[in-house]
Amino acid sequence: MTDDKTTTHFGFQTVDEDQKAGMVHGVFSSVASKYDVMNDLMSMGIHRVWKDAMMDWLAPRPGQRLLDVAGGTGDVAFRFLERAGAGTHATVLDMTESMLLAGQTRAEADSMATSLDWVVGDAMALPFEDNSFDVYTISFGIRNVTRVQDALTEAFRVLRPGGRLMVLEFSQIPNELMQKVYDLYSFNIIPPMGKLVTGDRDSYQYLVESIRKFPDQDTFADMIRRAGFEQVKYRNLSMGIAALHSGWKL
């Protein structure tokens, strides 16, 4: 009997909350070595444009401290350090050690080593003091967190007053016909592509399903406000295939 347990979703499956983290860990452990290649193939390289748009809106400044949660192979942290300049520091946190290890093999990791930390940790229980960072980012990771609201509350806790949250995540296309076309692509192309490139269809089936289960733009903006953030705004990218959400700790 599991009546006394809280459940959540793992893609389209309903699972006990205490199972999800391990299942997500299994997904990303499986695909870590090919993660960047698959991102390029699935999005036809557009994920790079989205991450650049994130940096444009974020406008990193010298001396800032970044926490990039679910930071995986370092894409966002590298961009942040390149743009911010002198005196900047980035901490990349991910629950999957193999993702962090893959990031550390990239050329950028060597050249930026003195400005980078790599930490294995949980978005819902960050191993950092209150008011520790100027910027908190999470890209294509928050939909994999078991309790999204808890992760947002933790983001608020570790940011300094005046700090900024920015979330880049797959979202919902406002146009119903375009959403149906995108769904056809997602469900029929991405899992077979994952099988071909990584040998793992199931992980990419989960990733596609997890996008459909994530709240729409306005619902997610309300969740950010409930965590305590102010001046919450979002911008759609590629017609809403992805969205950038921004909030401030004031």
Side-chain angles (χ1 to χ4, degrees), residues 41-44 181-190 193:
L41 291 173
M42 287 188 300
S43 72
M44 294 172 282
V181 172
Y182 180 56
D183 285 349
L184 283 171
Y185 165 75
S186 298
F187 283 97
N188 291 290
I189 301 298
I190 291 177
M193 187 188 297

Side-chain angles (χ1 to χ4, degrees), residues 20 42 79 99 103 112 122 138 147 153 160 166 177-178 183 211 222 224 230 232 241-242 245:
K20 181 169 179 176
M42 287 188 300
R79 281 174 167 78
M99 291 286 286
M112 300 176 180
D122 184 347
I138 181 166
R147 296 186 301 278
T153 299
R160 295 169 178 157
M166 188 161 283
L177 178 60
M178 291 299 298
D183 285 349
I211 293 168
D222 286 340
I224 294 172
E230 299 181 41
V232 176
I241 290 174
H245 282 76

Side-chain angles (χ1 to χ4, degrees), residues 162-178:
R164 190 175 187 185
L165 165 82
M166 188 161 283
V167 181
L168 172 59
E169 187 54 87
F170 291 112
S171 200
Q172 308 299 324
I173 302 175
N175 182 290
E176 186 176 349
L177 178 60
M178 291 299 298

Side-chain angles (χ1 to χ4, degrees), residues 99-117:
M99 291 286 286
L100 297 175
L101 292 173
Q104 290 172 60
T105 65
R106 294 175 57 174
E108 301 99 314
D110 281 338
S111 64
M112 300 176 180
T114 58
S115 302
L116 265 174
D117 289 330

Side-chain angles (χ1 to χ4, degrees), residues 38-148:
M38 274 298 294
N39 276 351
D40 280 333
L41 291 173
M42 287 188 300
S43 72
M44 294 172 282
I46 295 172
H47 77 99
R48 297 176 183 272
V49 176
W50 295 339
K51 289 169 183 171
D52 287 340
M54 183 184 202
M55 289 299 115
D56 290 343
W57 197 10
L58 192 55
R61 300 191 305 275
Q64 288 185 318
R65 295 184 63 85
L66 166 73
L67 174 61
D68 185 35
V69 174
T73 58
D75 256 7
V76 170
F78 297 150
R79 281 174 167 78
F80 185 90
L81 291 172
E82 286 171 359
R83 296 222 191 179
T88 311
H89 190 275
T91 298
V92 182
L93 179 138
D94 202 288
M95 68 178 293
T96 307
E97 185 176 15
S98 55
M99 291 286 286
L100 297 175
L101 292 173
Q104 290 172 60
T105 65
R106 294 175 57 174
E108 301 99 314
D110 281 338
S111 64
M112 300 176 180
T114 58
S115 302
L116 265 174
D117 289 330
W118 304 84
V119 177
V120 177
D122 184 347
M124 299 185 299
L126 296 171
F128 307 111
E129 298 291 329
D130 297 357
N131 309 317
S132 296
F133 297 94
D134 302 294
V135 181
Y136 174 115
T137 55
I138 181 166
S139 302
F140 306 118
I142 201 159
R143 74 182 189 281
N144 299 311
V145 175
T146 303
R147 296 186 301 278
V148 172

